[in-house]
Amino acid sequence: MNSQAIARELRASWAFIERNFNFTKRYWKWELVFFVYTMANSVTMGFIGKGIEAFSGTKLDTSYLILYMLLGSILWGYLSILFEIVAETVAWERWEETIEYTFMAPVRRATHLLSTCGYAILYGILRSGLILVVVSVFFDLDLGRANFLSAAGILAVSSFSFVGLGIVAAVLPLISPEKGVQVVHIFQALLLMFSGVYYEIDVLPMWMQQVGKLSPATYALRGMRASILEGRTMPEMWNDVWPLILLGALLLPFGLVFFKRMEVWAKKRGVLKRSG
């Protein structure tokens, strides 16, 4: 690809990111609803951690429990919004009635999808940061041992895996306008159950533990908690880092190729524009 083609793709990439931010501004009331819901869920998880000591009747490290629950809730909020935005790309195009223009535009599909992923990462970080600020008002968080550099590394590496999963899931609304989005939500709920968002996967039945080991969220949550709660470095968490790198290296290119193949199939079957 020559320099002019690269410049054209970069302009197109920024245009997709800007358009998605404009969507966010247009539907700011919905964004506010989802933000408040996620914030309330995170605060609830913190209070559950705080209440365990009162219910158990034994002396526990309440600060550790609160941070454990909050980290699970906030990180899952980031990963789930990343997954949802990417997975519902096609659904949003149909909703806005722009799907024909977007899919016939002289832009590489990888540029379109990766630009949406870039927006999702930026928006997810901003949203999670705001939730963390609000949550800190309710709880006296002890972050003295936190290794924020390692936490940022885990966040970055895990994003590739979830972007890849999101692109794979985006195929469902592409090939099934009637049921695709609902199946995406079911898949997301299964990830939540198997990945140990609010508990260690060791408490799950053995067969569920084996499934959980295939989820990038399992390693992202474990690595994030080790970074913040124990101050561990990336090399010390290599057992959680290398699966994230491997899953990201596999899922992202697979998702792009798979989406392109299914896009061709959808156009041949005439289901691209159909909304019901």
Side-chain angles (χ1 to χ4, degrees):
M1 197 186 313
N2 58 39
S3 58
Q4 289 184 341
I6 293 174
R8 185 180 65 247
E9 295 300 320
L10 288 175
R11 288 196 297 270
S13 179
W14 174 248
F16 280 118
I17 293 174
E18 187 176 17
R19 185 184 70 159
N20 281 308
F21 273 111
N22 288 333
F23 283 160
T24 302
K25 288 191 291 185
R26 182 189 301 177
Y27 299 108
W28 68 269
K29 293 180 180 178
W30 279 111
E31 297 299 330
L32 180 62
V33 169
F34 295 138
F35 175 80
V36 172
Y37 173 81
T38 306
M39 181 195 67
N41 182 68
S42 298
V43 172
T44 300
M45 291 302 106
F47 280 120
I48 288 175
K50 192 172 184 178
I52 289 176
E53 182 178 19
F55 285 118
S56 65
T58 58
K59 188 65 178 176
L60 300 171
D61 188 350
T62 309
S63 178
Y64 182 93
L65 289 173
I66 292 173
L67 266 176
Y68 184 92
M69 300 295 285
L70 286 176
L71 285 172
S73 180
I74 294 173
L75 182 62
W76 176 252
Y78 167 76
L79 293 176
S80 63
I81 200 69
L82 194 66
F83 178 80
E84 285 175 10
I85 290 174
V86 178
E88 295 180 9
T89 299
V90 175
W92 273 100
E93 295 285 355
R94 285 200 178 98
W95 177 267
E96 292 292 323
E97 297 184 348
T98 58
I99 191 167
E100 288 181 313
Y101 304 104
T102 300
F103 278 74
M104 293 181 68
V107 178
R108 293 175 181 268
R109 186 62 54 229
T111 300
H112 170 214
L113 294 174
L114 292 178
S115 301
T116 301
C117 298
Y119 158 77
I121 291 172
L122 292 173
Y123 178 71
I125 291 174
L126 177 62
R127 188 169 180 263
S128 299
L130 287 173
I131 291 173
L132 183 60
V133 170
V134 173
V135 165
S136 64
V137 174
F138 290 88
F139 305 101
D140 183 18
L141 303 179
D142 181 12
L143 300 175
R145 300 179 61 186
N147 188 328
F148 293 108
L149 186 60
S150 292
I154 292 292
L155 198 66
V157 174
S158 63
S159 296
F160 288 101
S161 302
F162 261 73
V163 162
L165 276 178
I167 294 175
V168 172
V171 170
L172 296 170
L174 181 71
I175 63 177
S176 179
E178 302 87 352
K179 301 176 183 178
V181 175
Q182 289 79 1
V183 177
V184 167
H185 292 159
I186 293 172
F187 183 58
Q188 184 181 3
L190 291 174
L191 276 175
L192 175 68
M193 181 176 65
F194 283 99
S195 300
V197 176
Y198 302 120
Y199 44 78
E200 293 293 333
I201 65 169
D202 296 340
V203 304
L204 298 173
M206 185 55 66
W207 70 270
M208 293 182 70
Q209 292 183 37
Q210 299 305 316
V211 176
K213 291 177 181 179
L214 301 176
S215 168
T218 300
Y219 306 101
L221 288 159
R222 191 183 297 161
M224 185 64 70
R225 283 170 173 147
S227 300
I228 300 299
L229 295 173
E230 303 170 18
R232 298 175 67 184
T233 63
M234 294 282 282
E236 292 175 332
M237 300 182 295
W238 182 244
N239 287 337
D240 294 319
V241 173
W242 76 260
L244 287 173
I245 295 174
L246 177 62
L247 288 169
L250 292 174
L251 288 171
L252 187 55
F254 172 76
L256 291 171
V257 173
F258 185 52
F259 189 96
K260 184 62 179 177
R261 295 276 181 91
M262 298 313 296
E263 178 189 345
V264 173
W265 181 90
K267 287 178 178 178
K268 288 182 179 179
R269 295 295 191 279
V271 300
L272 193 63
K273 180 65 173 63
R274 197 175 77 235
S275 58

